[in-house]
Every structure is written in structure tokens, then in C-alpha cells.
Amino acid sequence: MKKLVSIIIPAYNEADNIPHIINAVKNTFTNQIYDYEIIIIDDGSKDNSIDIAREISLTDLAVKFIELSRNFGKDQALKAGIDLATGDALVTIDADMQHPPSLMLEMIHQWELGYEVVYAYRQEKNPDAKLKNKIGSKLFYKLVNFLSDINLEDGIADYRLIDKKVIKTLSGISEYELFLRGMVKWIGFKQIGIPYTPAPRLIGESTYQIKTLIKLALHGITSFSVKPLYTAVYLGFFLSFSSILYIPYVIYSFLANIEVSGWASIIMTIVFFGGLQLIILGIIGIYVGKMFMQTKNRPNYIIRSTNIQKK
């Protein structure tokens, strides 16, 4: 029997791109020795993305769809596809055509060589990204690698192939605020990265913003490490020790009858330490909040409709 490869495509307001990515995937698998299924996950789109996917699925049995009840986020949409995919391997790819579909054949080749995770990372910068987003992306990966226990290549994408053993492992993980790029790295297995050059976005504009990267960085760091908590402790010790060094100056000023003035410096010191305390409390609050939400054990996503028979 031919091996089945599931192609997972999350979509948020990608109605114009969906027919193009489906055709590109089909052309990639033409004359190949693999069967394939294409699963479109509509992540609460405000356009008619789900209608396009549903209409195509009526005439093409290889096309499946999952409609989520609202916008849960890209990682949650990918998790829905991973949970319902039936292939011997699956490939996650964006709908905007910036991930070259032809690269899937190289991923499958590496998979056949024995690799259980084959992920893509950008060799060249995204041509559609603005300068501030490029700088933010660079800082994002450096910060995540420095403060977490995982190592992500600069420009690693949500374009990857994973084996069914990995699919089974990921399906068994139900974690609040998923960070799949980090999770796939964390679970291990035999992995290899391959470079790619992103193509210009076919239709529409990217909605990625700096605040999205900041939020993603916080999720990644706090999901895989407690280093920020240790950093807060070390910073507290450092500042406490620094304040001790100030005592000799205070004694000298008292004995020498030197007037200690400086209202502005006092206010600045109060503001600095007040802000520092709020930052540390915020770090602790993020971890406590994660535990609070995890104990609720809510699902990562809710499916409104689908034409896939559950495994």
C-alpha cells in the first residue's frame, strides 16, 4: 500500500489563497508514489474561507476541512489538524504560499532516510516583512534561546514534516497556550532542519505584528523554562548587595556633615525599584496564570464542523 501523507493547512481569512495552495500541493504530488490528504483548518475566519474549503471538498475527496468554533490561534488550529490527521506522516504548511510546496518532496526524502521530524528554517529573510518585524524576529529567537531550555534556529517556521510516532506523541499533549515550534523541538526524536527561501505572499498582507512576537516570546519562554524566575532572584540579590555598598557613603556624609540633597534622584530610585518589582511580580503572575488556566483543563480548540471521521 502507498504511504499516506497528510497536509495540514491552517487558514485565517485566506479565502483567495486556499484554491492556490491546494492546487500547488496537488501538483507537487503528481506522479509521486504517495497518497495524500489535504486538511484545511479554518481558524474562525471572518471571510468565506470555510465555504471555499467545503466547496472544493465536495468534488475532491482528497480535500478535508475542519471549521473551528472561533479564532483559537494558529498553534491550536495546527493541533486540531494533528489530532485528526490519519497519515503515516503529516506536513504543516501555511496557506499564503510563502512556504514552497515543492520542498515537501525533500522533507519526504529525509523522512524516508529515517528522520522523524524534518523542519524548515528561513535561509533568506521574508521579502514581505517590514524592517521592524525582521529586527523583532531576530530578537525573538535570541531571547527565546537565551531564556528557555530549547534551541530554535533563527527563522524556524511552522513548515515541517512529522512521523506518525511524533503525531501520536503530540496528540497526547494537552497544554494551555501551545507553542508548537518549541514543543516539536522539546519532544526530541530524530530531527533535521532544511533551509528554504520564502516566496512573496501570493495574495493579501501579513497580519503579524511586533506585539504578536512579544506575546509568542513570553509563551515560549514561560512554557519551557523557569529561568526568568531565577533571573528575578539573581537580580534581587544583586540590587540588595548594591544597596549595601551605598552604606559607607551615607555614614561618611553623616560624619562629614555633608548635606544629602537630590529630590529627583530619590524619585528616580523609587520609580526604578517600583517598576522592577512590578516586572518581577508580572513574571511570577504569568507562571501562576498558566497553572490556573491549565487546571481548568479546557480543550485547545472546539470543532464546529468537519468532514473527517475521527480516529
Side-chain angles (χ1 to χ4, degrees), residues 7 9 11 18 22 37-42 49-58 60-68 80-81 84 303-309:
I7 315 299
I9 308 174
I18 286 175
I22 288 177
E37 62 176 359
I38 302 173
I39 303 177
I40 306 293
I41 303 99
D42 179 67
S49 294
I50 185 60
D51 297 326
I52 298 295
R54 186 181 284 112
E55 183 179 351
I56 295 175
S57 71
L58 294 176
D60 191 337
L61 297 180
V63 177
K64 313 291 178 61
F65 69 86
I66 300 173
E67 180 188 11
L68 301 186
L84 271 68
I303 296 177
R304 185 171 184 266
S305 64
T306 183
N307 63 345
I308 301 176
Q309 298 296 324

PDB file of all heavy atoms in Angstrom, residues 7 9 11 18 22 37-42 49-58 60-68 80-81 84 303-309:
ATOM      1  N   ILE A   7      -1.512  16.697   4.681  1.00  0.00           N
ATOM      2  CA  ILE A   7      -1.046  18.077   4.536  1.00  0.00           C
ATOM      3  C   ILE A   7      -1.979  18.971   5.357  1.00  0.00           C
ATOM      4  O   ILE A   7      -3.166  19.094   5.046  1.00  0.00           O
ATOM      5  CB  ILE A   7      -1.041  18.539   3.062  1.00  0.00           C
ATOM      6  CG1 ILE A   7      -0.428  17.469   2.154  1.00  0.00           C
ATOM      7  CG2 ILE A   7      -0.335  19.881   2.932  1.00  0.00           C
ATOM      8  CD1 ILE A   7       1.005  17.133   2.481  1.00  0.00           C
ATOM      9  N   ILE A   9      -3.131  22.548   6.679  1.00  0.00           N
ATOM     10  CA  ILE A   9      -3.053  23.956   6.264  1.00  0.00           C
ATOM     11  C   ILE A   9      -3.981  24.801   7.135  1.00  0.00           C
ATOM     12  O   ILE A   9      -5.195  24.783   6.931  1.00  0.00           O
ATOM     13  CB  ILE A   9      -3.427  24.128   4.781  1.00  0.00           C
ATOM     14  CG1 ILE A   9      -2.612  23.179   3.900  1.00  0.00           C
ATOM     15  CG2 ILE A   9      -3.231  25.583   4.343  1.00  0.00           C
ATOM     16  CD1 ILE A   9      -3.020  23.190   2.438  1.00  0.00           C
ATOM     17  N   ALA A  11      -5.857  28.159   8.215  1.00  0.00           N
ATOM     18  CA  ALA A  11      -6.297  29.298   7.406  1.00  0.00           C
ATOM     19  C   ALA A  11      -7.086  30.284   8.254  1.00  0.00           C
ATOM     20  O   ALA A  11      -8.033  29.906   8.950  1.00  0.00           O
ATOM     21  CB  ALA A  11      -7.143  28.815   6.231  1.00  0.00           C
ATOM     22  N   ILE A  18      -6.621  29.795  -0.627  1.00  0.00           N
ATOM     23  CA  ILE A  18      -6.905  28.367  -0.446  1.00  0.00           C
ATOM     24  C   ILE A  18      -6.899  27.585  -1.757  1.00  0.00           C
ATOM     25  O   ILE A  18      -6.246  26.525  -1.845  1.00  0.00           O
ATOM     26  CB  ILE A  18      -8.236  28.173   0.322  1.00  0.00           C
ATOM     27  CG1 ILE A  18      -8.027  28.526   1.798  1.00  0.00           C
ATOM     28  CG2 ILE A  18      -8.740  26.741   0.192  1.00  0.00           C
ATOM     29  CD1 ILE A  18      -9.293  28.489   2.627  1.00  0.00           C
ATOM     30  N   ILE A  22      -4.025  24.559  -2.526  1.00  0.00           N
ATOM     31  CA  ILE A  22      -4.496  23.199  -2.794  1.00  0.00           C
ATOM     32  C   ILE A  22      -3.963  22.714  -4.135  1.00  0.00           C
ATOM     33  O   ILE A  22      -3.459  21.585  -4.258  1.00  0.00           O
ATOM     34  CB  ILE A  22      -6.040  23.145  -2.759  1.00  0.00           C
ATOM     35  CG1 ILE A  22      -6.540  23.296  -1.314  1.00  0.00           C
ATOM     36  CG2 ILE A  22      -6.549  21.833  -3.356  1.00  0.00           C
ATOM     37  CD1 ILE A  22      -8.045  23.334  -1.182  1.00  0.00           C
ATOM     38  N   GLU A  37      -3.678  13.528   1.680  1.00  0.00           N
ATOM     39  CA  GLU A  37      -4.924  14.197   2.024  1.00  0.00           C
ATOM     40  C   GLU A  37      -4.578  15.632   2.414  1.00  0.00           C
ATOM     41  O   GLU A  37      -3.538  15.887   3.028  1.00  0.00           O
ATOM     42  CB  GLU A  37      -5.651  13.493   3.172  1.00  0.00           C
ATOM     43  CG  GLU A  37      -4.887  13.451   4.484  1.00  0.00           C
ATOM     44  CD  GLU A  37      -5.687  12.824   5.620  1.00  0.00           C
ATOM     45  OE1 GLU A  37      -6.847  12.435   5.392  1.00  0.00           O
ATOM     46  OE2 GLU A  37      -5.143  12.726   6.745  1.00  0.00           O
ATOM     47  N   ILE A  38      -5.427  16.573   2.053  1.00  0.00           N
ATOM     48  CA  ILE A  38      -5.219  17.980   2.354  1.00  0.00           C
ATOM     49  C   ILE A  38      -6.286  18.410   3.359  1.00  0.00           C
ATOM     50  O   ILE A  38      -7.487  18.285   3.085  1.00  0.00           O
ATOM     51  CB  ILE A  38      -5.309  18.851   1.087  1.00  0.00           C
ATOM     52  CG1 ILE A  38      -4.272  18.390   0.057  1.00  0.00           C
ATOM     53  CG2 ILE A  38      -5.106  20.323   1.433  1.00  0.00           C
ATOM     54  CD1 ILE A  38      -4.409  19.083  -1.294  1.00  0.00           C
ATOM     55  N   ILE A  39      -5.848  18.863   4.520  1.00  0.00           N
ATOM     56  CA  ILE A  39      -6.786  19.245   5.566  1.00  0.00           C
ATOM     57  C   ILE A  39      -6.684  20.757   5.793  1.00  0.00           C
ATOM     58  O   ILE A  39      -5.651  21.260   6.238  1.00  0.00           O
ATOM     59  CB  ILE A  39      -6.505  18.500   6.885  1.00  0.00           C
ATOM     60  CG1 ILE A  39      -6.541  16.993   6.654  1.00  0.00           C
ATOM     61  CG2 ILE A  39      -7.508  18.910   7.956  1.00  0.00           C
ATOM     62  CD1 ILE A  39      -6.192  16.172   7.885  1.00  0.00           C
ATOM     63  N   ILE A  40      -7.744  21.467   5.461  1.00  0.00           N
ATOM     64  CA  ILE A  40      -7.824  22.909   5.688  1.00  0.00           C
ATOM     65  C   ILE A  40      -8.477  23.149   7.042  1.00  0.00           C
ATOM     66  O   ILE A  40      -9.600  22.679   7.287  1.00  0.00           O
ATOM     67  CB  ILE A  40      -8.645  23.611   4.589  1.00  0.00           C
ATOM     68  CG1 ILE A  40      -8.102  23.268   3.188  1.00  0.00           C
ATOM     69  CG2 ILE A  40      -8.664  25.118   4.819  1.00  0.00           C
ATOM     70  CD1 ILE A  40      -6.728  23.813   2.910  1.00  0.00           C
ATOM     71  N   ILE A  41      -7.808  23.865   7.924  1.00  0.00           N
ATOM     72  CA  ILE A  41      -8.376  24.188   9.238  1.00  0.00           C
ATOM     73  C   ILE A  41      -8.731  25.665   9.253  1.00  0.00           C
ATOM     74  O   ILE A  41      -7.851  26.524   9.238  1.00  0.00           O
ATOM     75  CB  ILE A  41      -7.410  23.872  10.395  1.00  0.00           C
ATOM     76  CG1 ILE A  41      -6.990  22.399  10.375  1.00  0.00           C
ATOM     77  CG2 ILE A  41      -8.067  24.188  11.734  1.00  0.00           C
ATOM     78  CD1 ILE A  41      -5.658  22.177   9.741  1.00  0.00           C
ATOM     79  N   ASP A  42     -10.017  25.959   9.259  1.00  0.00           N
ATOM     80  CA  ASP A  42     -10.470  27.353   9.303  1.00  0.00           C
ATOM     81  C   ASP A  42     -10.502  27.813  10.759  1.00  0.00           C
ATOM     82  O   ASP A  42     -11.293  27.333  11.560  1.00  0.00           O
ATOM     83  CB  ASP A  42     -11.861  27.487   8.684  1.00  0.00           C
ATOM     84  CG  ASP A  42     -12.361  28.914   8.733  1.00  0.00           C
ATOM     85  OD1 ASP A  42     -11.775  29.777   8.053  1.00  0.00           O
ATOM     86  OD2 ASP A  42     -13.322  29.176   9.485  1.00  0.00           O
ATOM     87  N   SER A  49     -13.563  31.668   3.918  1.00  0.00           N
ATOM     88  CA  SER A  49     -12.541  30.616   3.776  1.00  0.00           C
ATOM     89  C   SER A  49     -13.145  29.226   3.920  1.00  0.00           C
ATOM     90  O   SER A  49     -12.857  28.314   3.123  1.00  0.00           O
ATOM     91  CB  SER A  49     -11.434  30.806   4.824  1.00  0.00           C
ATOM     92  OG  SER A  49     -10.702  31.982   4.596  1.00  0.00           O
ATOM     93  N   ILE A  50     -13.994  29.043   4.921  1.00  0.00           N
ATOM     94  CA  ILE A  50     -14.565  27.720   5.152  1.00  0.00           C
ATOM     95  C   ILE A  50     -15.500  27.317   4.017  1.00  0.00           C
ATOM     96  O   ILE A  50     -15.569  26.135   3.645  1.00  0.00           O
ATOM     97  CB  ILE A  50     -15.307  27.655   6.518  1.00  0.00           C
ATOM     98  CG1 ILE A  50     -15.793  26.231   6.803  1.00  0.00           C
ATOM     99  CG2 ILE A  50     -16.451  28.644   6.560  1.00  0.00           C
ATOM    100  CD1 ILE A  50     -14.688  25.201   6.858  1.00  0.00           C
ATOM    101  N   ASP A  51     -16.198  28.276   3.425  1.00  0.00           N
ATOM    102  CA  ASP A  51     -17.091  27.963   2.302  1.00  0.00           C
ATOM    103  C   ASP A  51     -16.282  27.486   1.101  1.00  0.00           C
ATOM    104  O   ASP A  51     -16.700  26.546   0.403  1.00  0.00           O
ATOM    105  CB  ASP A  51     -17.914  29.200   1.928  1.00  0.00           C
ATOM    106  CG  ASP A  51     -18.839  29.646   3.051  1.00  0.00           C
ATOM    107  OD1 ASP A  51     -19.333  28.770   3.788  1.00  0.00           O
ATOM    108  OD2 ASP A  51     -19.059  30.860   3.194  1.00  0.00           O
ATOM    109  N   ILE A  52     -15.141  28.134   0.857  1.00  0.00           N
ATOM    110  CA  ILE A  52     -14.273  27.719  -0.253  1.00  0.00           C
ATOM    111  C   ILE A  52     -13.757  26.303  -0.011  1.00  0.00           C
ATOM    112  O   ILE A  52     -13.795  25.448  -0.912  1.00  0.00           O
ATOM    113  CB  ILE A  52     -13.091  28.692  -0.404  1.00  0.00           C
ATOM    114  CG1 ILE A  52     -13.576  30.108  -0.738  1.00  0.00           C
ATOM    115  CG2 ILE A  52     -12.124  28.192  -1.454  1.00  0.00           C
ATOM    116  CD1 ILE A  52     -14.261  30.230  -2.065  1.00  0.00           C
ATOM    117  N   ALA A  53     -13.269  26.051   1.201  1.00  0.00           N
ATOM    118  CA  ALA A  53     -12.735  24.723   1.526  1.00  0.00           C
ATOM    119  C   ALA A  53     -13.824  23.655   1.428  1.00  0.00           C
ATOM    120  O   ALA A  53     -13.589  22.560   0.881  1.00  0.00           O
ATOM    121  CB  ALA A  53     -12.130  24.732   2.922  1.00  0.00           C
ATOM    122  N   ARG A  54     -14.999  23.962   1.926  1.00  0.00           N
ATOM    123  CA  ARG A  54     -16.104  22.995   1.886  1.00  0.00           C
ATOM    124  C   ARG A  54     -16.532  22.712   0.450  1.00  0.00           C
ATOM    125  O   ARG A  54     -16.794  21.551   0.071  1.00  0.00           O
ATOM    126  CB  ARG A  54     -17.286  23.532   2.702  1.00  0.00           C
ATOM    127  CG  ARG A  54     -18.435  22.520   2.829  1.00  0.00           C
ATOM    128  CD  ARG A  54     -19.603  23.087   3.609  1.00  0.00           C
ATOM    129  NE  ARG A  54     -19.330  23.118   5.047  1.00  0.00           N
ATOM    130  CZ  ARG A  54     -19.169  24.222   5.753  1.00  0.00           C
ATOM    131  NH1 ARG A  54     -19.207  25.411   5.156  1.00  0.00           N
ATOM    132  NH2 ARG A  54     -18.956  24.157   7.048  1.00  0.00           N
ATOM    133  N   GLU A  55     -16.575  23.737  -0.381  1.00  0.00           N
ATOM    134  CA  GLU A  55     -16.982  23.561  -1.770  1.00  0.00           C
ATOM    135  C   GLU A  55     -15.989  22.697  -2.539  1.00  0.00           C
ATOM    136  O   GLU A  55     -16.382  21.818  -3.314  1.00  0.00           O
ATOM    137  CB  GLU A  55     -17.112  24.937  -2.433  1.00  0.00           C
ATOM    138  CG  GLU A  55     -17.596  24.886  -3.874  1.00  0.00           C
ATOM    139  CD  GLU A  55     -17.728  26.275  -4.489  1.00  0.00           C
ATOM    140  OE1 GLU A  55     -17.615  27.271  -3.747  1.00  0.00           O
ATOM    141  OE2 GLU A  55     -17.929  26.348  -5.720  1.00  0.00           O
ATOM    142  N   ILE A  56     -14.703  22.939  -2.322  1.00  0.00           N
ATOM    143  CA  ILE A  56     -13.680  22.138  -3.010  1.00  0.00           C
ATOM    144  C   ILE A  56     -13.733  20.684  -2.553  1.00  0.00           C
ATOM    145  O   ILE A  56     -13.565  19.752  -3.355  1.00  0.00           O
ATOM    146  CB  ILE A  56     -12.277  22.730  -2.760  1.00  0.00           C
ATOM    147  CG1 ILE A  56     -12.160  24.119  -3.393  1.00  0.00           C
ATOM    148  CG2 ILE A  56     -11.187  21.814  -3.322  1.00  0.00           C
ATOM    149  CD1 ILE A  56     -10.859  24.830  -3.091  1.00  0.00           C
ATOM    150  N   SER A  57     -14.013  20.462  -1.270  1.00  0.00           N
ATOM    151  CA  SER A  57     -14.041  19.103  -0.732  1.00  0.00           C
ATOM    152  C   SER A  57     -15.178  18.264  -1.320  1.00  0.00           C
ATOM    153  O   SER A  57     -15.119  17.031  -1.303  1.00  0.00           O
ATOM    154  CB  SER A  57     -14.163  19.148   0.796  1.00  0.00           C
ATOM    155  OG  SER A  57     -15.453  19.589   1.196  1.00  0.00           O
ATOM    156  N   LEU A  58     -16.213  18.930  -1.846  1.00  0.00           N
ATOM    157  CA  LEU A  58     -17.338  18.203  -2.433  1.00  0.00           C
ATOM    158  C   LEU A  58     -16.964  17.508  -3.735  1.00  0.00           C
ATOM    159  O   LEU A  58     -17.546  16.482  -4.093  1.00  0.00           O
ATOM    160  CB  LEU A  58     -18.507  19.166  -2.677  1.00  0.00           C
ATOM    161  CG  LEU A  58     -19.169  19.768  -1.425  1.00  0.00           C
ATOM    162  CD1 LEU A  58     -20.237  20.777  -1.821  1.00  0.00           C
ATOM    163  CD2 LEU A  58     -19.770  18.670  -0.552  1.00  0.00           C
ATOM    164  N   ASP A  60     -13.463  17.061  -4.613  1.00  0.00           N
ATOM    165  CA  ASP A  60     -12.126  16.474  -4.470  1.00  0.00           C
ATOM    166  C   ASP A  60     -12.069  15.738  -3.133  1.00  0.00           C
ATOM    167  O   ASP A  60     -11.981  16.360  -2.071  1.00  0.00           O
ATOM    168  CB  ASP A  60     -11.065  17.579  -4.529  1.00  0.00           C
ATOM    169  CG  ASP A  60      -9.656  17.017  -4.653  1.00  0.00           C
ATOM    170  OD1 ASP A  60      -9.438  15.846  -4.260  1.00  0.00           O
ATOM    171  OD2 ASP A  60      -8.762  17.740  -5.130  1.00  0.00           O
ATOM    172  N   LEU A  61     -12.100  14.417  -3.197  1.00  0.00           N
ATOM    173  CA  LEU A  61     -12.146  13.609  -1.980  1.00  0.00           C
ATOM    174  C   LEU A  61     -10.866  13.699  -1.164  1.00  0.00           C
ATOM    175  O   LEU A  61     -10.857  13.340   0.022  1.00  0.00           O
ATOM    176  CB  LEU A  61     -12.415  12.143  -2.340  1.00  0.00           C
ATOM    177  CG  LEU A  61     -13.765  11.860  -3.017  1.00  0.00           C
ATOM    178  CD1 LEU A  61     -13.901  10.377  -3.322  1.00  0.00           C
ATOM    179  CD2 LEU A  61     -14.920  12.336  -2.135  1.00  0.00           C
ATOM    180  N   ALA A  62      -9.777  14.188  -1.761  1.00  0.00           N
ATOM    181  CA  ALA A  62      -8.522  14.322  -1.026  1.00  0.00           C
ATOM    182  C   ALA A  62      -8.515  15.540  -0.121  1.00  0.00           C
ATOM    183  O   ALA A  62      -7.654  15.666   0.746  1.00  0.00           O
ATOM    184  CB  ALA A  62      -7.350  14.403  -2.000  1.00  0.00           C
ATOM    185  N   VAL A  63      -9.481  16.427  -0.321  1.00  0.00           N
ATOM    186  CA  VAL A  63      -9.537  17.665   0.456  1.00  0.00           C
ATOM    187  C   VAL A  63     -10.516  17.505   1.610  1.00  0.00           C
ATOM    188  O   VAL A  63     -11.678  17.153   1.415  1.00  0.00           O
ATOM    189  CB  VAL A  63      -9.952  18.861  -0.429  1.00  0.00           C
ATOM    190  CG1 VAL A  63     -10.072  20.134   0.416  1.00  0.00           C
ATOM    191  CG2 VAL A  63      -8.938  19.058  -1.547  1.00  0.00           C
ATOM    192  N   LYS A  64     -10.046  17.764   2.819  1.00  0.00           N
ATOM    193  CA  LYS A  64     -10.876  17.718   4.022  1.00  0.00           C
ATOM    194  C   LYS A  64     -10.887  19.120   4.656  1.00  0.00           C
ATOM    195  O   LYS A  64     -10.051  19.961   4.340  1.00  0.00           O
ATOM    196  CB  LYS A  64     -10.302  16.716   5.029  1.00  0.00           C
ATOM    197  CG  LYS A  64      -9.928  15.360   4.439  1.00  0.00           C
ATOM    198  CD  LYS A  64     -11.142  14.562   4.013  1.00  0.00           C
ATOM    199  CE  LYS A  64     -10.726  13.230   3.385  1.00  0.00           C
ATOM    200  NZ  LYS A  64      -9.975  12.356   4.301  1.00  0.00           N
ATOM    201  N   PHE A  65     -11.814  19.334   5.531  1.00  0.00           N
ATOM    202  CA  PHE A  65     -11.858  20.635   6.207  1.00  0.00           C
ATOM    203  C   PHE A  65     -12.213  20.456   7.679  1.00  0.00           C
ATOM    204  O   PHE A  65     -12.887  19.489   8.072  1.00  0.00           O
ATOM    205  CB  PHE A  65     -12.859  21.587   5.538  1.00  0.00           C
ATOM    206  CG  PHE A  65     -14.300  21.181   5.703  1.00  0.00           C
ATOM    207  CD1 PHE A  65     -15.035  21.547   6.825  1.00  0.00           C
ATOM    208  CD2 PHE A  65     -14.929  20.419   4.715  1.00  0.00           C
ATOM    209  CE1 PHE A  65     -16.354  21.165   6.978  1.00  0.00           C
ATOM    210  CE2 PHE A  65     -16.255  20.034   4.856  1.00  0.00           C
ATOM    211  CZ  PHE A  65     -16.967  20.409   5.993  1.00  0.00           C
ATOM    212  N   ILE A  66     -11.730  21.364   8.483  1.00  0.00           N
ATOM    213  CA  ILE A  66     -12.098  21.460   9.901  1.00  0.00           C
ATOM    214  C   ILE A  66     -12.451  22.915  10.163  1.00  0.00           C
ATOM    215  O   ILE A  66     -11.649  23.812   9.918  1.00  0.00           O
ATOM    216  CB  ILE A  66     -10.931  21.045  10.829  1.00  0.00           C
ATOM    217  CG1 ILE A  66     -10.508  19.606  10.565  1.00  0.00           C
ATOM    218  CG2 ILE A  66     -11.330  21.226  12.299  1.00  0.00           C
ATOM    219  CD1 ILE A  66      -9.240  19.188  11.322  1.00  0.00           C
ATOM    220  N   GLU A  67     -13.641  23.148  10.639  1.00  0.00           N
ATOM    221  CA  GLU A  67     -14.082  24.509  10.981  1.00  0.00           C
ATOM    222  C   GLU A  67     -14.105  24.651  12.502  1.00  0.00           C
ATOM    223  O   GLU A  67     -14.851  23.953  13.181  1.00  0.00           O
ATOM    224  CB  GLU A  67     -15.470  24.793  10.412  1.00  0.00           C
ATOM    225  CG  GLU A  67     -15.975  26.188  10.741  1.00  0.00           C
ATOM    226  CD  GLU A  67     -17.428  26.405  10.346  1.00  0.00           C
ATOM    227  OE1 GLU A  67     -18.102  25.402  10.001  1.00  0.00           O
ATOM    228  OE2 GLU A  67     -17.893  27.552  10.398  1.00  0.00           O
ATOM    229  N   LEU A  68     -13.262  25.526  13.034  1.00  0.00           N
ATOM    230  CA  LEU A  68     -13.245  25.767  14.468  1.00  0.00           C
ATOM    231  C   LEU A  68     -14.357  26.744  14.838  1.00  0.00           C
ATOM    232  O   LEU A  68     -14.786  27.558  14.017  1.00  0.00           O
ATOM    233  CB  LEU A  68     -11.882  26.310  14.909  1.00  0.00           C
ATOM    234  CG  LEU A  68     -10.673  25.415  14.604  1.00  0.00           C
ATOM    235  CD1 LEU A  68      -9.409  26.008  15.235  1.00  0.00           C
ATOM    236  CD2 LEU A  68     -10.889  23.993  15.102  1.00  0.00           C
ATOM    237  N   ALA A  80      -5.409  20.871  16.011  1.00  0.00           N
ATOM    238  CA  ALA A  80      -6.628  20.213  15.541  1.00  0.00           C
ATOM    239  C   ALA A  80      -6.328  19.324  14.339  1.00  0.00           C
ATOM    240  O   ALA A  80      -6.803  18.187  14.247  1.00  0.00           O
ATOM    241  CB  ALA A  80      -7.682  21.268  15.180  1.00  0.00           C
ATOM    242  N   GLY A  81      -5.530  19.843  13.408  1.00  0.00           N
ATOM    243  CA  GLY A  81      -5.150  19.042  12.244  1.00  0.00           C
ATOM    244  C   GLY A  81      -4.314  17.837  12.624  1.00  0.00           C
ATOM    245  O   GLY A  81      -4.501  16.735  12.080  1.00  0.00           O
ATOM    246  N   LEU A  84      -6.487  15.038  14.122  1.00  0.00           N
ATOM    247  CA  LEU A  84      -7.422  14.352  13.228  1.00  0.00           C
ATOM    248  C   LEU A  84      -6.761  13.754  11.989  1.00  0.00           C
ATOM    249  O   LEU A  84      -7.413  13.040  11.231  1.00  0.00           O
ATOM    250  CB  LEU A  84      -8.546  15.299  12.794  1.00  0.00           C
ATOM    251  CG  LEU A  84      -9.783  15.330  13.708  1.00  0.00           C
ATOM    252  CD1 LEU A  84      -9.442  15.948  15.057  1.00  0.00           C
ATOM    253  CD2 LEU A  84     -10.924  16.098  13.053  1.00  0.00           C
ATOM    254  N   ILE A 303     -14.324  22.154  17.637  1.00  0.00           N
ATOM    255  CA  ILE A 303     -14.664  21.965  16.225  1.00  0.00           C
ATOM    256  C   ILE A 303     -16.153  22.221  16.016  1.00  0.00           C
ATOM    257  O   ILE A 303     -16.997  21.627  16.682  1.00  0.00           O
ATOM    258  CB  ILE A 303     -14.298  20.554  15.763  1.00  0.00           C
ATOM    259  CG1 ILE A 303     -12.783  20.357  15.834  1.00  0.00           C
ATOM    260  CG2 ILE A 303     -14.796  20.309  14.336  1.00  0.00           C
ATOM    261  CD1 ILE A 303     -12.317  18.958  15.466  1.00  0.00           C
ATOM    262  N   ARG A 304     -16.442  23.119  15.102  1.00  0.00           N
ATOM    263  CA  ARG A 304     -17.843  23.425  14.754  1.00  0.00           C
ATOM    264  C   ARG A 304     -18.381  22.452  13.714  1.00  0.00           C
ATOM    265  O   ARG A 304     -19.507  21.972  13.813  1.00  0.00           O
ATOM    266  CB  ARG A 304     -17.952  24.855  14.242  1.00  0.00           C
ATOM    267  CG  ARG A 304     -19.383  25.318  13.962  1.00  0.00           C
ATOM    268  CD  ARG A 304     -19.419  26.813  13.674  1.00  0.00           C
ATOM    269  NE  ARG A 304     -20.792  27.288  13.486  1.00  0.00           N
ATOM    270  CZ  ARG A 304     -21.387  27.391  12.314  1.00  0.00           C
ATOM    271  NH1 ARG A 304     -20.699  27.059  11.200  1.00  0.00           N
ATOM    272  NH2 ARG A 304     -22.623  27.810  12.209  1.00  0.00           N
ATOM    273  N   SER A 305     -17.536  22.167  12.712  1.00  0.00           N
ATOM    274  CA  SER A 305     -17.940  21.189  11.681  1.00  0.00           C
ATOM    275  C   SER A 305     -16.705  20.627  10.997  1.00  0.00           C
ATOM    276  O   SER A 305     -15.662  21.281  10.943  1.00  0.00           O
ATOM    277  CB  SER A 305     -18.857  21.839  10.633  1.00  0.00           C
ATOM    278  OG  SER A 305     -18.166  22.854   9.919  1.00  0.00           O
ATOM    279  N   THR A 306     -16.810  19.416  10.470  1.00  0.00           N
ATOM    280  CA  THR A 306     -15.722  18.785   9.741  1.00  0.00           C
ATOM    281  C   THR A 306     -16.255  17.626   8.930  1.00  0.00           C
ATOM    282  O   THR A 306     -17.330  17.085   9.229  1.00  0.00           O
ATOM    283  CB  THR A 306     -14.627  18.265  10.694  1.00  0.00           C
ATOM    284  OG1 THR A 306     -13.548  17.708   9.936  1.00  0.00           O
ATOM    285  CG2 THR A 306     -15.167  17.227  11.659  1.00  0.00           C
ATOM    286  N   ASN A 307     -15.547  17.254   7.891  1.00  0.00           N
ATOM    287  CA  ASN A 307     -15.922  16.075   7.106  1.00  0.00           C
ATOM    288  C   ASN A 307     -14.943  14.928   7.341  1.00  0.00           C
ATOM    289  O   ASN A 307     -14.875  13.979   6.548  1.00  0.00           O
ATOM    290  CB  ASN A 307     -16.000  16.417   5.625  1.00  0.00           C
ATOM    291  CG  ASN A 307     -14.657  16.855   5.054  1.00  0.00           C
ATOM    292  OD1 ASN A 307     -13.734  17.171   5.796  1.00  0.00           O
ATOM    293  ND2 ASN A 307     -14.551  16.888   3.735  1.00  0.00           N
ATOM    294  N   ILE A 308     -14.196  15.015   8.440  1.00  0.00           N
ATOM    295  CA  ILE A 308     -13.216  13.973   8.781  1.00  0.00           C
ATOM    296  C   ILE A 308     -13.805  13.042   9.831  1.00  0.00           C
ATOM    297  O   ILE A 308     -14.373  13.506  10.822  1.00  0.00           O
ATOM    298  CB  ILE A 308     -11.914  14.596   9.326  1.00  0.00           C
ATOM    299  CG1 ILE A 308     -11.294  15.541   8.290  1.00  0.00           C
ATOM    300  CG2 ILE A 308     -10.916  13.517   9.726  1.00  0.00           C
ATOM    301  CD1 ILE A 308     -10.066  16.262   8.800  1.00  0.00           C
ATOM    302  N   GLN A 309     -13.668  11.768   9.591  1.00  0.00           N
ATOM    303  CA  GLN A 309     -14.077  10.782  10.575  1.00  0.00           C
ATOM    304  C   GLN A 309     -12.983  10.685  11.633  1.00  0.00           C
ATOM    305  O   GLN A 309     -11.811  10.490  11.311  1.00  0.00           O
ATOM    306  CB  GLN A 309     -14.290   9.406   9.936  1.00  0.00           C
ATOM    307  CG  GLN A 309     -15.394   9.367   8.888  1.00  0.00           C
ATOM    308  CD  GLN A 309     -16.763   9.656   9.486  1.00  0.00           C
ATOM    309  OE1 GLN A 309     -17.030   9.248  10.623  1.00  0.00           O
ATOM    310  NE2 GLN A 309     -17.618  10.336   8.742  1.00  0.00           N
TER     311      GLN A 309
END
